[in-house]
Structures are given as C-alpha cells and as structure tokens.
C-alpha cells in the first residue's frame, strides 16, 4: 500500500509564504489534486512530499514509511515538472531511461522497459529525437514516460499541463487519468485550473494562503463549499455570492437561478454571453453582479428589468466575517 | 497572376527600390569593411606577398619563391620557439579551463561571501599583463623574491627560477594560468546559471549523485562554453607575449621564447622583415587551422541549446 499521509506539516521562508500545519491523506491508488490560486502553497506541499524542500515541522509518511527526512530518491517517488525538466542534450530514449541508468539497471531490462513505456505514452517512433525537436505535447509525454518507467507507486505532478494549448490539455488530462488508473499509482497532482481538478480527481484539496480551505470529493466541493472562497473558486462561472440578512452572505449557483416575469428579486440585465448550449445572463442586483445560466439562446436586451428566483434547497449561506459555511439549508 | 500584373506594371520602381536597398546595405557595411580591409586583410595579404621576396638591403627586393620558407625550416630557433609554444599551450590551456570550471562550480553555490569570491577570482583578469608580469617577476626573483624567501624560511636553498631553462616555462605557465582562469570562470558561471534548476531536481528524484549529475548533465551542457573557451585559450597562448618582454626576453637561450615574440625579435631587433613575414604567415596558418577545426568539425559534435 502506498498511501501518503501528511501530518501537521509547516514550512516557511523566514515567515513568508509556505504552508502552515497542513494535514491530509492520499489513499493508495487514488488521484489527489492540490488546487488553489498561485501562492497558496500547493506547489510547496508537493515539493515537501517529493523531498525537494525540507519541512520545518510535521511528518510525511509514504506507504507507512516515515520519509520526512529522507532524500527524494529514497522516497521512491516519480515526479513530472511544470517545465518537464527534460535533459536537452539527451534524446527521448535516454531521457526516459535516465533513472534506470542511474540505478544501474542492466541493458536488456532497460530496453525491455523502454519499449513498453514508449508504447504506453506513444513515443515509439520518436525515440531518437532531442527534446528541442518535439512539440509541447510530445515533451509532456517524454516527462510522463520518465515518470512511469521506474514503476514507483507514487507519482507527483506539478502543473504538468499548464504549458499546453487548451485542446491538448483536455486530451492529456484524460490520458493521465487513464494512465493513473491503469497503473494503480497514487498520484498527487497540483493545478490552479479548477476544471482540471474537478474532472480528474478522486479527491480535491483546495488551498489558500498556506492552509487547507476544503478537502473533499469534487462533487462535495461543488455542492457543499466550505466557505465563500471555495464557492467562488469552483464552477464556471463561479457561484454568485450576495449580501443577505443577519450578517450572512447568500450563495447560489448560476444554473439554479431562473428568470421570472414578475416575482423574485428585482434585477437589471447588463449583458448576455451566448455559449451555444446555454447563455450566461449577467444581472445587476443592488450593485452586485449575479450570473444566471439559461439553456439555449437568450434574447433579453441589456437594461431589461427582470425578477430572479431560486429554490431554497439550492442556496448556501456563509458567515460574512469568517466566510465559513453556516448550518445547512437555513430558510431564507 | 495578380502579382505578375503588378510587377509588369511597375518594373522600374521595383528595380529602383531594390537598388536603393543594396546601396543602403553596402553603405552600412562600409566602415567595417574599410577598417577590416586596411588593418586586417590587406596586412595579411601584404605579409604573404613579402614572404616570397628577398630582403633587398643591397638593391631591390627580388622574388625568391619559397626560399624564405626553406630557411625557416632550417632555422633551429624557429623549431625551438614552435616547440616551446606548443608545450606552453598544452600546459596552460587545459589547466586554466579546468581551474575556471572548478572555480565557477564553487562560486555558483549559495555560500557566504560568494560575491567577494567571484570578484577575487576575476581580479587578475582586470590587471594589465605588464603589471602582472612585474608582480610575478618579484615573486620569482632569486634570493629576495617572495618564492625564495618562503622556501628559505622552510630551509630550502634559493633558485634562479627564470634563469634556469628547466624551470622558466613552468614559471611562466603558472602565471598565465593565474591570469586567465578568472576570465574563463565568468563564461562558465554564466553557462551554469543558464541551466534550469529543475534538471537538478529531476535528477535528484531519480537518485543521481552530484558527481553523476555533473558528469552526465552539467558537463555536456557546458560543452559549447568549453569549446569557446578552449579556442580562446589556445589563440591567447599564441597571442599573449607581453610577459616575455618584461620577464625573460625569451631567455635563457630561447628557452622561454614563443613564436610571436620570436617574430617581434626578427622584425624589430634584427630588422629581417621578410623572414618575419614568413614566420607570421606560419603563425596565421596555425591560428586559422584552429578556428577552422572549431567551425567545421567541433561545432557539429556539440549540443547547442
């Protein structure tokens, strides 16, 4: 079993940045996403697990083994870097088998594994190329190949798709997810892209300013955000948060609001974004912007007075000061 | 089709514009061409020309064909300074490169006083060769020089370091390495800093030791720099002779003389300008061969980013 347990880990650089007493667990064979805006500590967390940074306090265990003070190599992990970190002077094959060579694996075994991995990542025809002769997507595959050839049970990924174009990114995230499940790896995956997190993860940890904002399955983050920050971070467009009574904020997802003729909260249409399958109507409610998702094409002109309605079971209430979620489904 | 019609309609304007562009380009190149032509290319050709003529001290210069070259091949001093020069290159080039790399790797690390160290290593480069030669002349002076005083305090006898044919080349080589290594270090330092730090991290995740990483990643990635530096060092070893003027005048008995210093002596002490021209052609041929090796052969075998 190769679950990862991070227990009360802290790391700062002279009191700046880093992470503050974070704890979580990545179950064996699952994909855990560390999600958050830049500077939230997600990459630091990953580098602490990898052993590229030393913890100030706390412990990290991988597969029941305390690795807190071990070197990266002794942790028996593999890692994919945002820049891919390919060796520019080595060709694809040499890049992939770099680690095997370091560990003195015999030639026959190396060739055998290389053939298998090159086949998995679809690079068999490019083994002689140098990284500079590859496209972004192909480089990404080389980095993946180098990560999986060691057959380490734990694979760490630091924003691996952020240098690819949108179409390729979509393709690769399906592939990485399939690969993770096929090889049964425990994967920790860092990203700032919430749609990547939602589509790939078994579990998402949303981070902010060095602490964990919410830890849950993707549908939990979406349906029961633990704070207004989580509510605003997840979903496109994100949840609408408007001031409400009794020092509370009210949150409701755009798809749960519908436009009524007469009743409901009065609002003014400001603009309509037509997306094809649906339209996002941007409305003004007492100076706050509320977006409404409506199926199909919407022809409301800007300036139209409308009423907005939603059902009570779809609302979320957050404390105005702490931003924390208030008791579920409070009546409005 | 449209383009064809357009060109047919305005052939004159197009040709005129073309001509104007050409004139403009040549005018921009002119200052460089004039300077290079006057002070580099013409002198080379003139030197080559003169090397085929007699000196003409008593009467006009006569065409003598390869006579000067035949004389050169029979000249024992020529062979000695050539041998000296190759030994000198062999002694200074690899050592200064190795030392430069060592210093660069050291000052690339995050250590206390790093800027001070970098400055200290670079200082010899800033000094003029004449000044360096004078400083080291004092080090090597028999009896009261720094080296001898140090040796005497340890109970050893003094030695005439620059006056002994068996030690003079080593002494000069040590000084030149001291002066050159800091300069080459700067190139290595720049190259080291252009290697992305993730490569090191990726290698450490794979379990590569520091030495393995240096051997298999850092060093190959530094090859373009190493090549650049070695060509420069090699050319410098034929080009830099200031120290001889100050320290040994090529002596004792030509033991420390180098090809360029010999050319200077032949030309301006013995006033045998045609023989000096012949020797110069030989020197230029050697340096051109070095440069050609770099451009034609070595460049293809090295990874450039």
């Amino acid at each position: 079993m190769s679950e990862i347990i991070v227990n009360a880990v802290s790391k700062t650089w002279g009191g700046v940045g880093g992470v503050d007493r974070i704890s979580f667990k990545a179950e064996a064979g699952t994909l855990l996403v560390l999600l958050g805006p830049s500077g939230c500590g997600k990459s630091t967390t990953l580098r602490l697990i990898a052993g590229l940074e030393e913890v100030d306090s706390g412990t990290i265990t991988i597969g029941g083994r305390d690795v807190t003070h071990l070197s990266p190599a002794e942790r028996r992990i593999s890692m994919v870097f945002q820049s891919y970190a390919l060796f520019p002077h080595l060709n694809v094959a040499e890049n992939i088998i770099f680690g095997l060579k370091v560990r003195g694996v015999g030639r026959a075994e190396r060739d055998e594994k290389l053939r298998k991995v090159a086949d998995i990542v679809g690079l068999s025809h490019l083994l002689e190329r140098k990284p500079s002769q590859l496209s972004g997507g192909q480089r990404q595959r080389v980095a993946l190949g180098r990560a999986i050839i060691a057959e380490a049970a734990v694979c760490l990924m630091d924003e691996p798709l952020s240098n690819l174009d949108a179409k390729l990114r979509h393709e690769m995230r399906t592939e990485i997810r399939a690969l993770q499940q096929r090889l049964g790896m425990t994967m920790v995956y860092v990203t700032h892209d919430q749609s990547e997190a939602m589509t790939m993860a078994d579990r998402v940890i949303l981070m902010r300013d060095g602490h964990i904002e919410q830890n849950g399955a993707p549908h939990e983050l979406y349906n029961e955000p633990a704070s207004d920050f989580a509510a605003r971070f997840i979903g496109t467009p994100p949840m609408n948060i408007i001031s409400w009574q009794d020092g509370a904020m009210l949150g409701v997802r755009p798809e749960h609001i519908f436009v009524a003729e007469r009743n409901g909260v009065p609002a003014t249409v400001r603009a309509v974004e037509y997306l094809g399958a649906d339209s996002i109507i941007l409305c003004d409610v007492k100076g706050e912007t509320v977006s409404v998702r409506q199926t199909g094409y919407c022809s409301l002109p800007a300036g139209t007075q409308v009423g907005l309605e939603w059902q009570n079971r779809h609302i979320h209430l957050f404390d105005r000061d702490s931003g924390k979620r208030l008791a579920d489904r409070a009546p409005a | 089709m449209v383009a064809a019609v357009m060109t047919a309609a305005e052939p004159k304007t197009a040709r005129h514009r073309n001509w104007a562009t050409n004139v403009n380009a040549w005018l921009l190149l002119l200052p460089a061409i004039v300077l290079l032509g006057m002070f580099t290319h013409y002198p080379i050709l003139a030197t080559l020309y003169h090397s085929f003529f007699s000196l003409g001290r008593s009467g006009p210069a006569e065409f003598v064909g390869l006579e000067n070259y035949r004389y050169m091949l029979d000249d024992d001093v020529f062979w000695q300074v050539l041998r000296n020069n190759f030994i000198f290159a062999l002694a200074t080039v690899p050592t200064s490169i190795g030392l430069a790399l060592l210093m660069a790797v050291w000052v690339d690390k995050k250590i206390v006083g790093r800027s001070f160290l970098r400055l200290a290593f670079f200082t010899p480069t800033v000094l003029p060769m004449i000044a360096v030669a004078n400083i080291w002349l004092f080090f090597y002076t028999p009896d009261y020089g720094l080296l001898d005083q140090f040796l005497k305090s340890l109970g050893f006898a003094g030695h005439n370091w620059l006056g002994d044919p068996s030690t003079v080349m080593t002494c000069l080589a040590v000084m030149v390495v001291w002066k050159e290594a800091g300069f080459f270090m700067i190139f290595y330092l720049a190259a080291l800093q252009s290697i992305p730090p993730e490569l090191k991290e990726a290698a450490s995740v794979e379990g590569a030791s520091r030495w393995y990483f240096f051997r298999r990643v850092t060093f190959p990635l530094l090859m373009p720099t190493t090549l650049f530096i070695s060509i420069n060092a090699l050319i410098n070893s034929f080009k830099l002779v200031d120290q001889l003027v100050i320290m040994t005048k090529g002596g004792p008995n030509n033991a420390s003389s180098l090809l360029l210093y010999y050319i200077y002596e032949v030309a301006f002490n013995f006033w045998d300008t045609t023989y000096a021209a012949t020797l110069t052609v030989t020197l230029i041929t050697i340096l051109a061969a070095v440069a050609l090796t770099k451009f034609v052969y070595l460049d293809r075998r090295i990874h450039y980013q």
Side-chain angles (χ1 to χ4, degrees):
Chain A
M1 280 318 211
S2 56
E3 87 273 349
I4 304 166
I5 300 171
V6 173
N7 186 21
V9 162
S10 294
K11 168 79 185 174
T12 68
W13 287 269
V16 186
V19 293
D20 183 26
R21 288 187 65 79
I22 55 167
S23 303
F24 62 85
K25 180 176 175 183
E27 299 284 350
T30 64
L31 198 158
L32 174 88
V33 167
L34 295 173
L35 176 68
S38 61
C40 71
K42 57 191 191 298
S43 281
T44 305
T45 309
L46 193 79
R47 293 170 60 83
L48 287 168
I49 298 173
L52 295 172
E53 305 286 352
E54 275 268 352
V55 299
D56 291 342
S57 63
T59 58
I60 298 170
T61 58
I62 296 178
R65 205 160 58 103
D66 186 347
V67 299
T68 315
H69 299 292
L70 297 184
S71 73
E74 291 165 330
R75 300 185 182 204
R76 287 185 231 128
I77 50 150
S78 59
M79 185 157 175
V80 174
F81 293 80
Q82 182 173 5
S83 62
Y84 315 139
L86 301 179
F87 302 114
H89 60 299
L90 300 178
N91 66 26
V92 170
E94 291 165 329
N95 261 291
I96 293 178
I97 61 168
F98 183 87
L100 299 184
K101 260 187 160 166
V102 169
R103 289 185 287 276
V105 174
R107 199 195 169 112
E109 192 185 341
R110 245 165 32 204
D111 289 349
E112 166 75 28
K113 283 189 171 169
L114 173 64
R115 203 152 12 92
K116 227 165 67 188
V117 167
D119 196 41
I120 292 175
V121 294
L123 286 172
S124 305
H125 58 300
L126 298 171
L127 291 177
E128 300 297 318
R129 296 261 189 102
K130 292 273 174 71
S132 57
Q133 299 166 303
L134 300 177
S135 69
Q138 288 164 341
R139 284 179 212 179
Q140 168 71 72
R141 284 164 196 277
V142 179
L144 268 179
R146 191 172 65 186
I148 63 177
I149 198 164
E151 292 165 13
V154 171
C155 181
L156 308 177
M157 298 211 165
D158 189 4
E159 308 221 19
L161 305 183
S162 59
N163 289 341
L164 301 180
D165 61 62
K167 184 171 169 291
L168 210 51
R169 203 179 311 169
H170 193 263
E171 229 173 86
M172 288 305 293
R173 80 185 183 206
T174 321
E175 246 174 84
I176 290 177
R177 175 62 163 158
L179 200 61
Q180 178 265 328
Q181 289 180 325
R182 176 171 157 196
L183 303 178
M185 293 184 286
T186 309
M187 189 177 276
V188 181
Y189 186 107
V190 164
T191 182
H192 61 263
D193 180 344
Q194 55 98 15
S195 62
E196 229 168 87
M198 298 298 276
T199 49
M200 296 175 77
D202 291 304
R203 195 161 197 83
V204 178
I205 291 180
L206 178 64
M207 296 187 67
R208 179 196 192 184
D209 297 337
H211 68 261
I212 293 175
E213 192 80 7
Q214 186 166 9
N215 175 352
H219 66 88
E220 288 170 350
L221 264 78
Y222 192 80
N223 295 325
E224 285 169 53
S227 64
D228 68 315
F229 174 79
R232 280 201 183 99
F233 201 83
I234 290 174
T236 17
M239 187 185 282
N240 298 299
I241 309 272
I242 50 178
S243 311
W244 208 242
Q245 61 234 15
D246 307 329
M249 294 182 286
L250 177 126
V252 55
R253 296 249 172 230
E255 64 268 34
H256 293 144
I257 306 179
F258 45 93
V259 177
E261 291 294 319
R262 242 157 276 148
N263 304 323
V265 179
T268 314
V269 174
R270 262 203 291 143
V272 176
E273 293 173 354
Y274 176 56
L275 300 176
D278 40 26
S279 306
I280 308 294
I281 310 166
L282 298 169
C283 302
D284 187 277
V285 179
K286 288 187 213 148
E288 288 175 297
T289 303
V290 171
S291 45
V292 179
R293 186 190 290 274
Q294 200 179 61
T295 315
Y297 180 69
C298 170
S299 60
L300 286 173
T304 315
Q305 299 292 324
V306 292
L308 301 180
E309 284 189 356
W310 50 78
Q311 294 176 337
N312 269 350
R313 65 192 173 93
H314 284 141
I315 65 168
H316 309 259
L317 289 176
F318 303 100
D319 185 78
R320 196 194 303 272
D321 300 321
S322 65
K324 290 268 181 285
R325 185 183 187 82
L326 295 173
D328 258 358
R329 273 154 217 162
Chain B
M1 188 59 192
V2 176
V5 171
M6 295 267 288
T7 7
E10 314 174 69
K12 254 189 184 162
T13 9
R15 215 177 303 153
H16 179 79
R17 208 181 310 132
N18 225 340
W19 185 81
T21 312
N22 275 332
V23 168
N24 212 347
W26 280 105
L27 279 176
L28 287 168
L29 288 172
L30 194 63
I33 289 178
V34 167
L35 288 174
L36 278 172
M38 259 169 46
F39 297 113
T40 305
H41 300 135
Y42 169 72
I44 288 176
L45 291 177
T47 306
L48 186 64
Y49 177 82
H50 285 303
S51 73
F52 294 117
F53 283 82
S54 70
L55 191 54
R57 265 187 190 137
S58 48
E62 278 174 49
F63 181 76
V64 292
L66 292 175
E67 187 55 44
N68 287 325
Y69 291 91
R70 212 164 295 135
Y71 175 77
M72 180 181 80
L73 295 181
D74 285 336
D75 179 6
D76 288 338
V77 180
F78 165 71
W79 287 111
Q80 179 167 12
V81 295
L82 194 63
R83 194 170 54 241
N84 283 350
N85 220 148
F86 278 112
I87 291 170
F88 182 69
L90 223 62
T92 55
V93 176
T95 353
S96 55
I97 291 177
L99 203 60
L101 182 56
L102 206 69
M103 294 192 296
V105 169
W106 192 26
V107 298
D108 189 38
K109 285 194 195 129
K110 291 194 178 87
I111 50 169
V112 185
R114 185 171 66 164
S115 318
F116 176 76
L117 261 180
R118 285 180 186 178
L119 181 70
F121 287 159
F122 192 64
T123 310
T125 308
V126 187
L127 300 176
M129 195 56 164
I130 300 291
V132 170
N134 275 303
I135 297 169
W136 283 76
L137 188 59
F138 164 68
F139 289 173
Y140 290 138
T141 308
D143 289 335
Y144 60 88
L146 194 68
L147 188 58
D148 266 7
Q149 286 191 19
F150 175 70
L151 287 178
K152 271 189 197 161
S153 73
L154 293 178
F156 292 96
H159 186 79
N160 186 359
W161 298 99
L162 297 176
D164 181 348
S166 66
T167 53
V168 63
M169 274 305 255
T170 316
C171 288
L172 291 177
V174 166
M175 182 195 75
V176 167
V177 167
W178 176 84
K179 170 138 176 61
E180 297 264 89
F183 183 54
F184 299 147
M185 176 201 75
I186 293 294
F187 292 99
Y188 270 132
L189 195 56
L192 280 174
Q193 288 176 350
S194 74
I195 296 178
E198 301 93 73
L199 294 188
K200 175 116 214 186
E201 294 178 349
S204 75
V205 168
E206 301 285 2
S209 66
R210 264 160 61 180
W211 171 237
Y212 188 93
F213 180 75
F214 180 81
R215 204 159 44 89
R216 298 299 306 275
V217 181
T218 313
F219 191 68
L221 289 179
L222 290 177
M223 270 321 268
T225 313
T226 306
L227 177 63
F228 171 79
I229 292 174
S230 53
I231 297 294
N232 270 288
L234 198 58
I235 290 174
N236 274 355
S237 71
F238 280 89
K239 212 174 69 179
L240 271 183
V241 292
D242 313 17
Q243 71 274 21
L244 298 182
V245 179
I246 303 290
M247 297 173 83
T248 65
K249 301 257 189 293
N253 193 22
N254 290 319
S256 69
S257 187
L258 300 177
L259 186 51
L260 184 57
Y261 186 75
Y262 184 50
I263 293 172
Y264 169 81
E265 273 191 321
V266 169
F268 300 108
N269 289 349
F270 313 150
W271 293 105
D272 188 351
T273 46
T274 55
Y275 184 45
T278 311
L279 290 169
T280 306
V281 170
T282 310
L283 176 60
I284 290 172
T285 311
I286 292 171
L287 294 184
V290 170
L292 220 62
T293 319
K294 171 195 159 33
F295 290 127
V296 176
Y297 177 68
L298 292 172
D299 267 358
R300 287 194 210 141
R301 302 171 53 93
I302 284 180
H303 171 81
Y304 286 96
Q305 300 238 14

